[in-house]
């Protein structure tokens, strides 16, 4: 008998138009950045986000580094980040000398727990970096209410959240700055890529300079100066127009891509509900005032043992599932920077029990049925 095909955790997606656009970019003879496709992507993202200016970058990590540069983050500054996130959320600010202050997450949405902020904000706090985990918005009204009167900048790490909404407004439209990722694992991708969202128009000109190696090259191309020169700090954050061409094909297909992910997410949620309820497995919560971005589907098992057994069980059924994030406060680098085991009990507990199921644009109905059937076969109770 033939082995059933293995179901990967993630698979890159092609709309089919990527090759045409890449070919067009090559024919344009503009291989470097800031060509026609870069501008088309930026205009589309500005529309999606209602943002005055979006700059395409080489990654979300680099967009976060640009945010730290733009805010003049310096040694001695503190930046509040959730403990349950990817390392770049913190690392981009640590590179400028800041100390990360790790906030625990809410047990219901796994988002930065805004109820911790008053305790964590101090005289050196310069920024708060909420992450809209799984593409479900943080409590932005409360976060802004605490940050704004104190002159603390809010930078949304919106790597998961493009096209999600909180109280009717797009995620990524709330912070002074926001960052997007177009890594292969995200909803829209060009392999490696990102964007910096500038909701504060006063930061635009300096952002253009920092993105262009600290030069006023953008001003030069607009004809505002007759030569360009070194005027500020900066680095090389501009992606090639060939990558932007690839990305444009995906951003243009946003409705189709989000529609597919929405269907997959809803099916997991509905078909696993009775099993989850019976065994005390936590499913994602989407509060009523939020529209989510359908970035990932997770389950929180009753114990670390049950999580390990479920991953092994799914593996035996040809299904690849994974877990993340190792809490930043307990990581070797996080501890070197003052993080402590036990400092973020919810993040540390959830990190041991969470599993992510395959969710990618091209996951077909039969494959998803196999994933669901394999989960339903599993009884977490003996491991609790
Ligand atoms: C993927 C991710 C990043 C990093 O994105 P890159 O584009 O790979 O740099 C940062 N933050 C979060 C929350 C992410 O999920």
């Amino acid at each position: 008998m033939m082995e059933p095909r293995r179901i990967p955790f993630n698979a890159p997606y092609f709309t089919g138009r990527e090759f045409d656009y890449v070919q067009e970019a090559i024919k344009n003879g503009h291989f470097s950045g800031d060509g026609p496709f870069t501008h088309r992507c930026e205009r589309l993202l500005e529309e999606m986000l209602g943002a005055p200016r979006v700059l395409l970058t080489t990654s979300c990590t680099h967009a976060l580094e640009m945010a730290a540069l733009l805010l003049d983050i310096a040694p001695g500054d503190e930046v509040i980040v959730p403990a349950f996130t990817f390392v770049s959320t913190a690392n981009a600010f640590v590179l400028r000398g800041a100390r990360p202050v790790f906030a625990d997450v809410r047990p219901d949405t796994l988002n930065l727990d805004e109820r911790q902020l008053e305790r964590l904000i101090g005289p050196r706090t310069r920024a708060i970096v909420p992450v809209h985990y799984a593409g479900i918005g943080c409590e932005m009204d409360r976060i802004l209410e605490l940050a704004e009167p104190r002159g603390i900048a809010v930078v949304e790490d919106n790597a998961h959240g493009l096209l999600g909404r909180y109280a009717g407004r797009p995620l990524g439209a709330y912070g002074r700055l926001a960052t997007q990722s177009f890594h292969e694992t995200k909803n829209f991708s060009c392999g490696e890529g990102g964007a910096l969202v500038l909701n504060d128009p006063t930061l635009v000109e300096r952002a253009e300079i920092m993105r262009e190696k600290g030069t006023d090259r953008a001003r030069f191309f607009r004809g505002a100066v007759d030569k360009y020169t070194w005027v500020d700090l900066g680095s090389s954050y501009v992606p090639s127009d060939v990558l932007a061409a690839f990305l444009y094909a995906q951003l243009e297909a946003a409705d189709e891509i989000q529609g597919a992910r929405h269907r997959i997410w809803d099916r997991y949620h509905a078909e696993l509900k009775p099993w989850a309820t019976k065994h005390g497995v936590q499913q994602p919560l989407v509060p009523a005032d939020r529209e989510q971005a359908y970035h990932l589907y997770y389950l929180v098992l009753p114990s670390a043992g049950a999580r390990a057994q479920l991953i092994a069980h799914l593996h035996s059924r040809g299904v690849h599932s994974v877990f993340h994030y190792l809490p930043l406060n307990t990581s070797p680098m996080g501890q070197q920077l003052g993080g402590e085991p036990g400092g973020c009990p919810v993040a540390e507990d959830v990190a041991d029990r969470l599993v992510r199921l395959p969710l990618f644009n091209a996951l077909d109905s039969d494959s998803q049925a196999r994933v669901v059937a394999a989960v339903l076969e599993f009884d977490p109770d003996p491991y609790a």
Side-chain angles (χ1 to χ4, degrees):
M1 211 183 81
M2 233 173 68
E3 278 274 305
R5 203 169 43 83
R6 291 195 67 78
I7 299 169
F9 167 69
N10 183 56
Y13 178 69
F14 305 99
T15 65
R17 289 179 295 278
E18 286 83 353
F19 303 109
D20 291 341
Y21 288 154
V22 166
Q23 209 168 26
E24 196 181 323
I26 291 167
K27 283 187 184 148
N28 283 340
H30 190 117
F31 285 29
S32 60
D34 273 335
F37 281 105
T38 305
H39 296 137
R40 284 161 86 174
C41 287
E42 290 176 350
R43 296 301 88 76
L44 210 49
L45 287 164
E46 284 160 10
E47 258 170 58
M48 287 174 175
L49 291 156
R53 189 79 169 96
V54 172
L55 295 172
L56 226 53
T57 61
T58 32
S59 65
C60 180
T61 301
H62 281 167
L64 287 161
E65 288 180 21
M66 282 185 67
L69 279 167
L70 277 166
L71 297 172
D72 293 313
I73 298 295
D77 290 345
E78 292 180 358
V79 175
I80 299 175
V81 299
F84 193 64
T85 181
F86 189 65
V87 292
S88 298
T89 313
N91 208 7
F93 297 89
V94 173
L95 273 175
R96 306 304 311 154
R99 191 175 79 84
V101 173
F102 301 110
D104 206 354
V105 295
R106 296 179 57 101
D108 54 359
T109 56
L110 315 188
N111 275 333
L112 184 147
D113 191 340
E114 72 288 347
R115 296 164 298 190
Q116 308 271 326
L117 286 175
E118 272 188 300
R119 187 172 63 79
L120 298 176
I121 289 171
R124 293 167 181 272
T125 308
R126 295 284 323 283
I128 300 171
V129 194
V131 175
H132 305 299
Y133 179 68
I136 300 164
C138 296
E139 303 288 335
M140 290 313 295
D141 283 344
R142 184 64 185 142
I143 292 171
L144 289 171
E145 194 178 286
L146 289 164
E148 278 177 344
R150 294 172 170 88
I152 298 169
V154 172
V155 179
E156 296 172 79
D157 179 343
N158 198 30
H160 299 184
L162 185 58
L163 295 173
R165 285 173 179 268
Y166 169 87
R169 259 172 77 193
L171 303 180
Y174 281 89
R176 209 171 158 200
L177 296 159
T179 63
Q180 303 296 152
S181 176
F182 304 116
H183 184 262
E184 182 175 302
T185 52
K186 303 303 195 303
N187 294 24
F188 308 97
S189 166
C190 57
E192 303 277 356
L196 179 66
V197 182
L198 295 136
N199 293 316
D200 176 352
T202 66
L203 294 175
V204 170
E205 189 160 338
R206 193 154 178 241
E208 289 176 346
I209 288 166
M210 291 179 152
R211 178 167 167 270
E212 273 285 14
K213 301 95 186 166
T215 73
D216 55 355
R217 198 159 180 260
R219 263 193 306 224
F220 171 70
F221 279 119
R222 281 199 296 268
V225 287
D226 59 5
K227 55 188 177 323
Y228 75 86
T229 185
W230 184 20
V231 293
D232 205 334
L233 288 179
S235 190
S236 185
Y237 296 126
V238 183
S240 157
D241 217 47
V242 176
L243 278 180
F246 193 102
L247 180 63
Y248 188 66
Q250 305 232 328
L251 292 177
E252 214 185 30
D255 289 347
E256 165 195 331
I257 288 172
Q258 292 301 89
R261 301 183 78 94
H262 184 165
R263 278 192 298 281
I264 294 165
W265 198 98
D266 279 359
R267 183 172 179 195
Y268 276 140
H269 206 59
E271 294 188 5
L272 296 176
K273 180 149 274 167
W275 170 86
T277 306
K278 178 173 172 209
H279 296 291
V281 172
Q282 180 185 339
Q283 292 182 289
L285 173 82
V286 187
D289 58 353
R290 265 150 270 197
E291 289 164 49
Q292 61 148 323
Y294 304 102
H295 175 54
L296 59 86
Y297 196 85
Y298 70 84
L299 297 167
V300 182
L301 276 287
S303 69
R307 193 263 303 267
Q309 290 300 324
L310 175 58
I311 290 174
H313 167 80
L314 292 175
H315 182 78
S316 77
R317 299 293 188 272
V319 175
H320 187 208
S321 62
V322 302
F323 63 84
H324 74 171
Y325 293 107
L326 298 173
L328 296 184
N329 62 303
T330 63
S331 68
M333 187 65 181
Q335 289 197 52
Q336 217 171 296
L337 292 161
E340 282 173 345
C344 298
V346 178
E348 291 167 49
D349 173 44
V350 163
D352 278 344
R353 298 190 287 120
L354 181 141
V355 60
R356 296 172 62 185
L357 299 180
L359 199 176
F360 49 90
N361 303 342
L363 181 66
D364 63 83
S365 177
D366 289 351
S367 298
Q368 192 182 9
R370 273 178 56 204
V371 180
V372 169
V375 174
L376 295 181
E377 280 174 1
F378 181 73
D379 180 358
D381 298 335
Y383 311 99

